[in-house]
Amino acid sequence: MADQIKRLNIADEKFSKKKLLGFSMVRMGNILQGLMIGEVTYFATNSLGIAAAAISIGMAIKTAIDAVTDLLMGAIVDRTHTKWGKARPWVLAGIPMWILTLLVFAVPRSLMSDMGIVVYITILSTLVSAIFGTMANIAYETHIKRSIVNNDNRVRTLTVIGLIYAIGSLGLQIALPAVINIFHASQRGFIIIAAITAIIGIVACLMAFFLCEEYSEEELAAFEGYEPEKQKENVPISVFLKSVAKNKYLVMFTLINFMYMIVMMSSFGVGQYYFQYVYGNLGTFSIVMAASVALFPVFAAIPKLSKKMGSAKLISGSMMISIIGIIIRMFLPQSIAAQMVGYLAVSLPNIINACVLSQVNYELMEYGRYKTGVVAEGMYSAFISFAQRWQRV
């Protein structure tokens, strides 16, 4: 039996363009979906005329539920053992996620009271984020780890994915305020954007499923140096959480992610309200965000910077710069130049994390396995997501 196991050699794995394409598409799809669902509060208040306090309560409930489902979903991924792999089947959770996202914006306004709309949006947004969105995003991390084992291939893939994600998300961020402005923040405009992005997202899910095959349990166990049966053990959430306390780097990484969420919360959503109500022109926000193109050359330097500084220091350093950007935007609110510089600084962690975050997570998984003997992949990704979401509650 042992002789029949294909033992992977780092030099044997070739860089896969089809896996790069599949993972890039699903990554962009997940980010676009996150941006769309982040528009719900703005959509409800400006397109449907719902009181901000009412929809904010609904979104707070959604976020609280979202925060407690992460570890459960991570455990489900770790307990999945099919002929398609552990994480690969769950990439298809993105299909109902996108359908429900479209339905959030297609709320039948004329048939519901304001309270009915709040309940409708809260329920659908919760299903989108807490169930299907959580599953798709957690499975994405594990899917890459189990499909690409050569570290150089993985870093190269993640860097290209980060660039594609940056271009795609920037395009949507530039388009959203402009389209919303053209349609005067109408429901029709939001439905059009949601429908277009939903088509892209569903196609991306199918591409990732068919193009990105996982290695078998036996292949991965042979490559990483443990028994295949260890991978198939069902690790209880309580056992995983106990192992977290012994992984000091995971704790440090989680704190960095808290900072990351603080920065990101102050960026796009707040910017829309600022440019509409303070500056007086929402369309100008598109011009400010377009300045992010100036950061694209940073992608070429990330591998060298990561090797020289270390991934964690690179991420934390970029977040310190982003805090400076927030201060600039606060103290020079009427200066377009200052807003552009501040937005560039705030956007920097997004670019760094797009390329480095997943790789750090994989290294934490390996360190945790060597340190505690606990083999968990989905729950590691879930723990980081869990920490990020509680920052938003």
Side-chain angles (χ1 to χ4, degrees), residues 71 235-254 364 367-369 371-372 374 376 379-384 386-387:
L71 288 177
V235 179
I237 294 177
S238 59
V239 172
F240 168 75
L241 290 176
K242 289 179 181 178
S243 73
V244 168
K246 300 178 182 179
N247 193 336
K248 62 180 180 180
Y249 297 109
L250 179 60
V251 176
M252 293 167 59
F253 188 54
T254 302
L364 290 171
Y367 178 80
R369 178 168 63 81
K371 187 72 174 179
T372 66
V374 174
M379 279 192 285
Y380 264 90
S381 298
F383 185 81
I384 301 298
F386 173 83

Side-chain angles (χ1 to χ4, degrees), residues 40-55:
V40 168
T41 299
Y42 185 88
F43 163 71
T45 56
N46 288 269
S47 301
L48 305 180
I50 303 299
I55 194 64

Side-chain angles (χ1 to χ4, degrees), residues 165-180:
Y165 144 69
I167 294 173
S169 60
L170 176 61
L172 182 63
Q173 287 181 340
I174 292 173
L176 271 176
V179 173
I180 292 170

Side-chain angles (χ1 to χ4, degrees), residues 135-155:
M135 184 59 70
N137 279 287
I138 290 173
Y140 165 81
E141 292 280 344
T142 305
H143 194 184
I144 291 180
K145 182 180 183 296
R146 296 174 63 84
S147 300
I148 305 173
V149 297
N150 180 290
N151 195 57
D152 291 337
N153 289 342
R154 189 183 289 162
V155 171

Side-chain angles (χ1 to χ4, degrees), residues 19 38 50 61 63 69 104 110 123 126 146-147 169 192 194 202 215 250 270 280 288 297 302 338 360-361 377:
K19 288 183 179 180
I50 303 299
I61 294 172
T63 305
T69 60
V104 168
S110 61
I123 292 175
T126 300
R146 296 174 63 84
S147 300
S169 60
I192 290 174
I202 290 173
Y215 289 109
L250 179 60
V270 174
V288 172
I302 287 176
V360 174
N361 194 18
E377 296 169 325

Side-chain angles (χ1 to χ4, degrees), residues 269-348:
V270 174
Q272 282 185 294
Y273 283 103
Y274 168 81
F275 276 93
Q276 179 169 346
Y277 295 111
V278 178
Y279 190 79
N281 187 347
L282 179 60
T284 306
F285 193 29
S286 293
I287 299 175
V288 172
M289 286 186 297
S292 296
V293 174
L295 291 175
F296 283 2
V298 172
F299 282 98
I302 287 176
K304 291 184 178 179
L305 288 173
S306 180
K307 185 176 182 180
K308 183 178 181 179
M309 300 173 57
S311 298
K313 288 184 178 180
L314 182 59
I315 292 175
S316 59
S318 70
M319 291 182 183
M320 294 303 297
I321 294 175
S322 69
I323 292 174
I324 295 174
I326 293 175
I327 295 173
I328 291 174
R329 293 175 69 182
M330 288 176 58
F331 284 93
L332 296 170
Q334 295 300 325
S335 170
I336 290 296
Q339 290 298 312
M340 285 186 175
V341 171
Y343 189 79
L344 286 175
V346 170
S347 300
L348 185 59

Side-chain angles (χ1 to χ4, degrees), residues 349-385:
N350 209 25
I351 288 179
I352 301 298
N353 282 355
C355 301
V356 177
L357 199 68
S358 294
Q359 181 59 28
V360 174
N361 194 18
Y362 301 145
E363 292 172 2
L364 290 171
M365 291 179 192
E366 293 307 305
Y367 178 80
R369 178 168 63 81
Y370 285 117
K371 187 72 174 179
T372 66
V374 174
V375 177
E377 296 169 325
M379 279 192 285
Y380 264 90
S381 298
F383 185 81
I384 301 298
S385 178

